[in-house]
Amino acid sequence: MSLLETPIEYLKGVGPQRGDLLRKELGIHKYADLLHLFPNRYIDRTRYYKINELQNSNSEVQVVGKIINIKTVEQGKGRSRLVATFIDDTGQMELVWFQGQKWIRDSIKINVPYVIFGKVTQFGATYNMAHPEMELLDEHKASLRSAMQPVYPSTEKLANKGISNKVINKIMQQLFVETQALFSENLPNYLLDELKLIPKNAALFNIHFPKSQDLLAKAQFRLKFEELFFIQLQLITKNLIRKHKIKGMPFEKVGDNFTDFYTNHLPFELTNAQKRVLKEIRNDLGRNAQMNRLLQGDVGSGKTIVALMCMLLAKDNGFQSCLMAPTEILANQHFNGISELAKELNINIKILTGSTKTSDRKIIHEALENGSLDIIIGTHALLEDKVQFHNLGLAVIDEQHRFGVEQRSKLWRKAAIPPHVLVMTATPIPRTLAMSLYGDLDISVIDELPPGRKPIQTVHRYDSNRLQVWKFIKDEIAKGRQIYIVYPLIQESEKMDYKDLMDGYESISRDFPLPQYSISILHGKMKPADKDEEMRRFAAGKTNIMVATTVIEVGVNIPNASVMIIESAERFGLSQLHQLRGRVGRGAEQSYCILITSHKLSNDSKIRMETMVRTNDGFEISEVDLKLRGPGDIMGKQQSGVLNLQIADLVKDKDILQLARYHAIKLLKDDAPMEKPQHSKLREAFIEISKKKTIWNYIS
């Protein structure tokens, strides 16, 4: 067992009680965990100030000098303070203590050089420092403490139990003494040389005890690169193994269904992006390895038609396909869209959801098993044991982050050979996150809108402009258009949401009275049948305005709806605002999105509104969102623990991530099993890391 595997309580200065606290509060079980507790920030103690250089700023400074006298000053009401006069060769200042006076008075040496450190305040012409950190100059010079002082992550409980930053600093010093700072190098020499990386020993020493800003920067770069490099090695290895191990069924021919549809029934000319993506997918499907591809495209970019064409390829090669969507509304929409596109072709398409009648289910189950059903579209209902395929060749999954891993593997087990997988999402994922989260999926992006679509115009208005907004709506309705008005949903308080929605609905009903105007309402408390009915009326053009909570975020395609009004827009996240905006702009008419907020906006809210007004590009929006919220939040609750990175940060370090990915791909192309002598250390470290069941082993 290596020294780093030693339980933390055996480290001198820790012991059972502190060990228990470190385990519970910071997850530090052994020496290695402490070694990888990296500081959050550093206090720069490289500079020593003279007293005549002091200023009344809020920063901490250190000064070398001596105490020439010390006295107690009464403050009345039985209170006192201890005041010492501290001098150097340029002037004098005061040191003040309100607590622990007796102990301090007894321990202070007069006329001996000290280094003091703390915040300085000015009273009249005199500077003073309250409760300074003090160290005798001789000890200060001899200690292992660096000039840049690390500040470690902590918790309230640790602070209350006396485990201060100073204590963690001290046990960290002890760790380096006991291990003699000998940590084995795990990156090959040629990589250290090429990237000018400092050795592992030097990096770990300088992250905890940096001698200068320059060495600290080198240490951070080295450790961030290493962390991201190993993650990329894991993801890319998984991808390679899958391509070698998991044999797919090659779709070798492009047959009549695909060709007939492509030449005679395309509703519009495909965009260059759609053509590029189709080519990438066809290359995958032609190989005898399982395809595992993520298709990203903004709302309305034409992912469905790409999915249908892949399903036609499956049919041409004698296979069945399924498309799984997270909600009934979405499944229905896919079913209607695909049936409409394929109406001229001789293809059997059915839908299976929770609402499918028992009698229909039976027919569907039989048709799937005997192979007469070519394409099945549905919700989680497709995962039921009763659903068995004759030969499933392609599984398309929409909005995959809403399905768990177990649910997807259930689908795989329904085929003798794992089907090809196409995962679709309209939630643009920033490149950096995609490289990490979906690093083992191949990624295709549709990054242009179909021809004839006009970009949606977005404006930001305050509550006080509501009358102008209402006038604008009336003009649009007069042109025959339809309007969405969306209210926020705040999970904690359904009552409040409902009230907001109802208040809004009432005031809108007053301003848009019957019989001239007709209004639909949609919210979470309604029965599914009532929701569908309201949605149907709106889709059929029987109502002019749809007042709703965010239940319409994903989903329904109503080309005639040209205005999206988002009330209290400051209460929505960027990706939600972008998704809601995508509900309009489905037809050829100019569409609008109006963000209404109160005048009081936080800085983040201002950035969100400005971003929405400035751009329609989902990828740019997702990058801003990532900066504002951090990686955990973007992936939603079920995956927020995904990126437990120890030192790297996906937002700030995306250049290092790209570098790490590049070198990981290069290394694995050259020596995938890592068997060359120069990779022996790397291979050991890789096997160690892979043993630890990190979240990476469960992704996609």
Side-chain angles (χ1 to χ4, degrees):
M1 171 168 115
S2 87
L3 193 55
L4 288 176
E5 295 297 305
T6 313
I8 195 66
E9 55 266 31
Y10 292 108
L11 184 66
K12 191 178 165 194
V14 177
Q17 277 174 312
R18 279 182 172 176
D20 200 41
L21 272 168
L22 289 171
R23 248 194 302 280
K24 284 182 184 146
E25 295 295 299
L26 295 175
I28 294 174
H29 296 265
K30 46 188 191 223
Y31 284 19
D33 300 326
L34 179 64
L35 182 64
H36 293 104
L37 176 72
F38 297 125
N40 290 334
R41 60 190 179 89
Y42 297 84
I43 295 165
D44 188 352
R45 296 186 67 162
T46 45
R47 171 141 192 224
Y48 297 92
Y49 286 79
K50 295 288 188 189
I51 291 174
N52 68 354
E53 295 175 318
L54 296 178
Q55 292 188 359
N56 197 9
S57 77
N58 203 17
S59 61
E60 294 164 307
V61 296
Q62 58 185 355
V63 187
V64 181
K66 9 176 137 161
I67 291 173
I68 52 169
N69 70 43
I70 190 160
K71 60 181 186 218
T72 303
V73 178
E74 295 303 329
Q75 287 178 272
K77 291 195 178 166
R79 289 204 306 255
S80 65
R81 63 180 192 271
L82 190 62
V83 181
T85 307
F86 187 81
I87 63 159
D88 69 1
D89 52 10
T90 69
Q92 69 175 44
M93 62 185 289
E94 290 186 339
L95 310 181
V96 185
W97 294 268
F98 300 96
Q99 276 120 16
Q101 294 180 26
K102 180 177 180 335
W103 180 79
I104 287 160
R105 191 164 197 154
D106 293 347
S107 59
I108 275 178
K109 298 184 164 68
I110 304 282
N111 285 323
V112 177
Y114 274 102
V115 177
I116 61 162
F117 177 78
K119 278 190 183 156
V120 175
T121 41
Q122 189 175 7
F123 284 102
T126 316
Y127 285 100
N128 74 25
M129 193 185 281
H131 289 269
E133 279 185 36
M134 297 180 65
E135 207 175 4
L136 290 166
L137 184 60
D138 294 349
E139 285 174 14
H140 178 80
K141 284 178 178 162
S143 84
L144 175 63
R145 221 189 22 229
S146 64
M148 306 279 302
Q149 273 206 7
V151 179
Y152 289 97
S154 185
T155 66
E156 210 175 316
K157 206 164 188 182
L158 287 178
N160 291 342
K161 297 279 185 187
I163 302 183
S164 61
N165 196 56
K166 213 170 176 179
V167 169
I168 292 195
N169 232 306
K170 219 168 178 153
I171 60 176
M172 195 66 81
Q173 291 186 33
Q174 183 58 32
L175 177 73
F176 275 76
V177 170
E178 285 190 28
T179 54
Q180 297 176 329
L182 296 175
F183 308 112
S184 56
E185 184 56 70
N186 50 16
L187 295 180
N189 288 337
Y190 67 83
L191 202 53
L192 298 179
D193 295 344
E194 189 182 334
L195 297 174
K196 300 192 171 55
L197 297 174
I198 63 173
K200 178 95 178 214
N201 278 341
L204 285 167
F205 186 83
N206 279 290
I207 203 86
H208 292 294
F209 312 107
K211 285 280 177 260
S212 68
Q213 289 280 5
D214 179 48
L215 279 166
L216 174 62
K218 285 183 170 144
Q220 286 172 328
F221 184 82
R222 152 73 210 236
L223 294 170
K224 286 174 176 185
F225 175 84
E226 182 182 317
E227 180 168 39
L228 295 168
F229 181 67
F230 276 105
I231 287 168
Q232 291 301 324
L233 279 180
Q234 271 186 306
L235 288 168
I236 298 157
T237 304
K238 256 174 79 176
N239 198 347
L240 290 172
I241 289 172
R242 198 187 57 242
K243 284 181 178 161
H244 289 297
K245 266 202 189 154
I246 305 184
K247 292 288 173 252
M249 297 150 284
F251 293 180
E252 278 157 352
K253 64 174 193 219
V254 177
D256 300 345
N257 290 294
F258 185 92
T259 317
D260 178 26
F261 181 75
Y262 191 78
T263 14
N264 307 320
H265 305 299
L266 272 182
F268 48 76
E269 169 77 17
L270 291 183
T271 62
N272 288 331
Q274 284 172 313
K275 287 179 185 162
R276 183 189 68 237
V277 164
L278 261 172
K279 196 171 159 193
E280 290 168 352
I281 294 172
R282 275 178 53 185
N283 282 342
D284 281 0
L285 294 174
R287 297 194 185 114
N288 57 359
Q290 182 203 24
M291 170 173 87
N292 221 1
R293 194 166 273 282
L294 173 69
L295 175 59
Q296 287 185 258
D298 236 328
V299 180
S301 61
K303 296 184 293 295
T304 312
I305 203 161
V306 170
L308 170 64
M309 291 172 84
C310 299
M311 292 171 171
L312 295 177
L313 274 176
K315 160 93 172 145
D316 283 339
N317 287 275
F319 291 104
Q320 294 168 302
S321 304
C322 71
L323 189 161
M324 187 159 83
T327 62
E328 283 201 21
I329 289 186
L330 259 182
N332 276 309
Q333 194 172 313
H334 279 304
F335 177 67
N336 296 335
I338 285 175
S339 303
E340 175 62 27
L341 285 168
K343 63 175 186 254
E344 303 292 330
L345 306 172
N346 178 24
I347 284 196
N348 189 0
I349 305 173
K350 290 276 184 278
I351 181 165
L352 181 66
T353 68
S355 329
T356 308
K357 292 194 189 102
T358 316
S359 52
D360 294 342
R361 271 170 198 260
K362 217 169 162 211
I363 298 165
I364 290 173
H365 290 161
E366 279 170 17
L368 272 179
E369 283 193 56
N370 66 30
S372 61
L373 183 50
D374 303 309
I375 294 176
I376 180 84
I377 293 168
T379 54
H380 296 75
L382 296 177
L383 302 173
E384 290 166 8
D385 294 339
K386 287 197 186 77
V387 179
Q388 292 300 327
F389 292 84
H390 178 63
N391 57 351
L392 176 63
L394 172 68
V396 181
I397 296 179
D398 195 25
E399 293 303 339
Q400 86 108 32
H401 55 278
R402 297 176 175 221
F403 292 104
V405 181
E406 303 80 36
Q407 291 172 312
R408 275 169 298 167
S409 58
K410 247 187 175 166
L411 204 50
W412 297 185
R413 287 187 218 116
K414 293 178 186 286
I417 297 175
H420 294 294
V421 180
L422 182 66
V423 168
M424 302 197 297
T425 178
T427 311
I429 302 157
R431 275 199 60 78
T432 40
L433 262 189
M435 275 196 300
S436 315
L437 282 168
Y438 299 111
D440 62 334
L441 287 175
D442 300 305
I443 297 178
S444 291
V445 179
I446 303 182
D447 48 12
E448 53 185 308
L449 285 178
R453 285 272 172 93
K454 297 187 176 123
I456 301 164
Q457 282 186 18
T458 305
V459 293
H460 172 208
R461 295 287 180 262
Y462 293 105
D463 287 330
S464 49
N465 311 116
R466 198 174 299 276
L467 287 174
Q468 290 157 293
V469 175
W470 274 191
K471 180 183 179 313
F472 175 72
I473 297 179
K474 285 178 176 165
D475 294 346
E476 284 292 300
I477 293 175
K479 292 181 199 164
R481 314 264 183 273
Q482 288 168 286
I483 318 291
Y484 287 110
I485 302 179
V486 176
Y487 285 82
L489 192 65
I490 310 162
Q491 257 50 45
E492 291 85 68
S493 122
E494 267 200 7
K495 286 194 186 77
M496 192 171 136
D497 298 334
Y498 190 65
K499 180 177 173 302
D500 279 1
L501 182 76
M502 284 322 199
D503 288 353
Y505 177 66
E506 280 166 23
S507 78
I508 292 162
S509 305
R510 280 196 300 274
D511 292 331
F512 296 87
L514 284 160
Q516 196 183 348
Y517 300 101
S518 167
I519 303 173
S520 284
I521 185 163
L522 198 62
H523 57 79
K525 288 190 171 177
M526 291 163 70
K527 295 195 177 92
D530 296 344
K531 280 187 196 170
D532 290 346
E533 175 56 21
E534 286 291 292
M535 212 67 230
R536 205 187 51 68
R537 286 178 60 217
F538 188 62
K542 296 208 168 91
T543 55
N544 317 101
I545 298 175
M546 164 69 79
V547 178
T549 53
T550 44
V551 284
I552 59 156
E553 182 182 346
V554 170
V556 207
N557 193 359
I558 298 174
N560 191 44
S562 67
V563 182
M564 166 62 72
I565 290 176
I566 304 176
E567 290 278 0
S568 305
E570 71 272 26
R571 282 153 66 174
F572 291 88
L574 255 180
S575 59
Q576 242 189 338
L577 290 171
H578 181 62
Q579 285 277 352
L580 285 168
R581 171 166 65 184
R583 299 288 108 236
V584 296
R586 297 307 187 93
E589 304 306 327
Q590 177 63 58
S591 289
Y592 304 90
C593 173
I594 302 172
L595 309 168
I596 299 183
T597 69
S598 64
H599 277 276
K600 272 198 211 144
L601 288 183
S602 70
N603 211 19
D604 280 6
S605 298
K606 281 184 192 146
I607 295 173
R608 288 203 293 269
M609 299 309 127
E610 282 160 12
T611 307
M612 286 292 294
V613 171
R614 186 184 77 244
T615 179
N616 278 307
D617 177 347
F619 287 95
E620 192 183 330
I621 287 168
S622 70
E623 292 285 353
V624 177
D625 203 20
L626 182 62
K627 282 195 180 107
L628 290 176
R629 294 197 297 160
D633 288 343
I634 285 199
M635 294 321 296
K637 281 203 175 67
Q638 68 279 35
Q639 293 185 334
S640 60
V642 168
L643 302 168
N644 280 331
L645 296 176
Q646 288 177 312
I647 188 164
D649 173 319
L650 286 186
V651 185
K652 298 185 185 122
D653 302 323
K654 61 178 181 201
D655 297 348
I656 306 179
L657 173 65
Q658 277 165 342
L659 188 70
R661 187 168 174 83
Y662 167 78
H663 283 285
I665 291 170
K666 196 168 143 189
L667 184 142
L668 291 170
K669 267 190 184 151
D670 167 54
D671 178 22
M674 304 183 219
E675 282 169 352
K676 291 188 174 173
Q678 68 259 41
H679 294 150
S680 62
K681 284 273 194 287
L682 181 77
R683 184 185 158 88
E684 273 172 44
F686 182 75
I687 291 169
E688 264 318 295
I689 287 172
S690 305
K691 269 189 213 156
K692 295 178 184 140
K693 272 280 192 206
T694 55
I695 183 95
W696 301 105
N697 304 26
Y698 301 108
I699 289 178
S700 358

